[in-house]
Amino acid sequence: MPEIIPIASDHAGVELKERLKRELSALGYSPLDLGTTGAESVDYPDFAHPLAEKVARGEVNRGVLLCGTGLGMAYAANRHPGVRAAVVWTPEIAELARQHNDANVLVLPARFVTDVQAVDILKRWLDTPFAGGRHSRRVAKIEEGEGT
Ligand code: RB5
């Protein structure tokens, strides 16, 4: 069974989302499109929260979000326990977000990366494992600050 990877965007990321869906399929994954579907202006939290809930509930291991800067999507997704959404703009940051931070949601700033850059970032994020070790302790401490 191919791994299901939910992917969602607002209007700013909708074109790049289509490109990344094709890439995910070509790589053997099963992209699950949670919207949006057109150029009409929408509110990014309406798309970040449903995807983040799937990750938080353990329905999926990871997901991909896109908006203009990546920031709004990341703010919303990171409200969910266990979700570590990383705004990523280079393949090197994608690698470090996985190795050091165990980022389980990739957030792309659609207005600031090219399609080619976004595909490279996606591939690096998909292929890089969490390094564990001292990073496990640090990642565990992220949740300790919840509600304090
Ligand atoms: C939409 O114009 C824009 O605000 C949104 O895509 C995103 O950049 C928000 O963080």
Side-chain angles (χ1 to χ4, degrees):
M1 277 277 284
E3 179 183 347
I4 295 170
I5 299 196
I7 182 167
S9 74
D10 69 358
H11 50 287
V14 73
E15 280 183 28
L16 184 53
K17 174 162 63 66
E18 291 308 310
R19 176 71 187 86
L20 296 187
K21 279 165 57 184
R22 289 198 299 277
E23 194 63 33
L24 284 167
S25 297
L27 291 168
Y29 297 96
S30 179
L32 173 64
D33 190 342
L34 299 181
T36 187
T37 51
E40 187 188 339
S41 183
V42 293
D43 299 337
Y44 53 82
D46 295 342
F47 299 88
H49 288 309
L51 186 144
E53 276 169 20
K54 283 187 176 295
V55 176
R57 285 197 214 110
E59 282 175 36
V60 295
N61 292 326
R62 46 193 178 168
V64 179
L65 290 168
L66 307 97
C67 67
T69 60
L71 297 174
M73 285 292 197
Y75 297 155
N78 279 321
R79 302 294 297 263
H80 296 258
V83 170
R84 292 175 298 279
V87 182
V88 172
W89 58 97
T90 71
E92 292 78 12
I93 295 171
E95 188 170 316
L96 289 167
R98 289 290 312 130
Q99 287 177 339
H100 290 194
N101 312 115
D102 199 14
N104 51 14
V105 174
L106 172 67
V107 190
L108 285 156
R111 288 181 173 147
F112 297 91
V113 291
T114 66
D115 284 17
V116 170
Q117 288 169 333
V119 167
D120 285 346
I121 289 165
L122 176 69
K123 285 181 178 169
R124 192 79 71 94
W125 178 77
L126 288 168
D127 291 346
T128 306
F130 178 46
R134 66 186 185 281
H135 301 295
S136 298
R137 183 182 67 243
R138 293 166 184 169
V139 168
K141 285 185 178 180
I142 294 171
E143 301 280 329
E144 284 176 14
E146 189 71 23
T148 57

